[in-house]
Amino acid sequence: MDNNDHRESREEYRKKLEKKIYENAHHDEGLFHNHHQPRQQHTGGRPTPPPVPEKHHYHTPKWMKWLIWLLIILVAAGGLYEYHKVHKMATGVFSGGDGKISKKLQKGEPVSVLAMGTDVGALDRGNKGGNTDSIELFTINPKTKRITMTSIPRDTLVRVNTDDGADYVKINAAYSIGGPKQTVKQVSELLDVPIDYYAVINMGVLKKVANSLGGVEVDNPFAFTYEGHHFKKGTQQLNGNEALKYSRMRYQDPNNDYGRQKRQQQILSSVIAKFKQSGSISSANKIMDAVGDGVKTNIPIDDIATLYGNYHNAMNNVSTYHFQGQDATIDGVSFQIASPKEINRISKLVRKQLGLKPVTVSNHETRMYKSQPSYDGYTNTDFILPGGASYNDPGSGNGSDKVTTSHSSSSHEHSSLYEPRY
């Protein structure tokens, strides 16, 4: 295959393979012929003994040989063409490799992937900036043959350390502050779990991926109408455009963002199930075509074959977890607060899937929660930021994780550098 940008056609592949197969066939035939030629025996003038009668074997007619070769060429050329196309598309999605395969993947150890969905592009807002619209932590365990998906509420309060000092924002704003690596850092610290890889997914590609698989199946818990389409209650098949709408509706759901997370997980589970049913290079090619430049990941391209070979059986069992936050108001803005109890519950579940022992999580989020004088997330939802800090104001406060003042929770306006109002 060419290493430049020229993409060979099927016809070019066939001609190249036909020539190679033909040459190999005649080379083997020549070896066979030379190997079976009767040797001249020097008997010193004595008469040469008569040759041993040769056994007669059935020989495949030449026309049948050429038919077999033609079928091989067609299958091989088609397969290589598809593989070449998949590989070429994959280089735009996966990170460049160094020729080395991860030892962790070779051993088939459990791995984790943080998927960040953005609405950039799907709503024609361009391809820069923006916050993450959804955050899903995947674990893939080839030993238990299980995949888990854990939704992290995008409104969860976290402390982000910036060059200007500590900043208190929603976790979905970490992407605007420091890109995917910053989001990985925040989720990893929040739950005290290792994260091996990340993937940033433009939610607009969801429509194309669903269409490439012939649609997805979901079980809608209640009927609703969104952006001109009515989604009935119960099991139904959705095309790409409908799947995107189904995944985006939020405010009509009685569970608000948690309900939307469940619907997004339904679609992802259906995509995994559909791909598992086909599992062919051709299907992978269709998905790669649909993905285009809408997905970026730091998984090295050298690891893809090993990742699929050692981990694809985990598709047989997909489980979903939901991180349940508590309602809070900070400076007049709605948040979700991660309680120490919930942090430890999810941390234990994720660490178990990764083959790790549970730990008691202690971080900025657990410490500031414990220092609250009266917040309970139910009867009192006013949450006070520690150290006299203000929401979305880098460097404000003294950097402490403890509440030092009866900071008023009344709403006040200030510039929103990272967090657009929704």
Side-chain angles (χ1 to χ4, degrees), residues 157-170 173-174 177 182 186 335 364-365 368 385-386 389-397 399 414-419:
L157 173 68
V158 292
R159 166 177 159 159
V160 179
N161 293 323
T162 73
D163 293 338
D164 296 322
D167 194 9
Y168 297 88
V169 297
K170 296 179 180 181
I177 296 173
Q182 186 68 51
Q186 297 306 142
F335 276 81
H364 295 299
E365 287 71 34
M368 69 171 124
L385 293 179
S390 298
Y391 151 65
N392 201 16
D393 188 4
S396 64
H414 54 77
S415 62
S416 180
L417 180 60
Y418 304 124
E419 189 101 25

Side-chain angles (χ1 to χ4, degrees), residues 126-228:
N127 292 316
K128 294 182 180 179
N131 298 333
T132 48
D133 195 55
S134 63
I135 303 174
E136 294 276 348
L137 179 58
F138 287 77
T139 66
I140 311 171
N141 191 322
K143 297 176 182 178
T144 60
K145 297 181 179 179
R146 188 181 186 192
I147 291 176
T148 66
M149 294 188 294
T150 303
S151 293
I152 311 296
R154 67 177 190 169
D155 292 342
T156 302
L157 173 68
V158 292
R159 166 177 159 159
V160 179
N161 293 323
T162 73
D163 293 338
D164 296 322
D167 194 9
Y168 297 88
V169 297
K170 296 179 180 181
I171 199 169
N172 70 335
Y175 184 79
S176 294
I177 296 173
K181 291 183 179 179
Q182 186 68 51
T183 307
V184 167
K185 184 175 186 294
Q186 297 306 142
V187 174
S188 179
E189 290 181 354
L190 179 66
L191 299 176
D192 198 352
V193 296
I195 298 177
D196 299 295
Y197 305 107
Y198 68 75
V200 181
I201 305 168
N202 183 322
M203 295 301 286
V205 306
L206 181 63
K207 175 169 62 177
K208 298 178 182 178
V209 170
N211 283 335
S212 73
L213 294 170
V216 293
E217 186 177 280
V218 299
D219 187 6
N220 187 19
F222 63 92
F224 65 90
T225 300
Y226 184 72
E227 292 186 347

Side-chain angles (χ1 to χ4, degrees), residues 295-313:
V295 175
K296 295 293 180 182
T297 176
N298 66 339
I299 301 175
I301 195 168
D302 297 326
D303 291 346
I304 299 306
T306 303
L307 183 62
Y308 179 79
N310 290 347
Y311 293 79
H312 74 278
N313 284 334

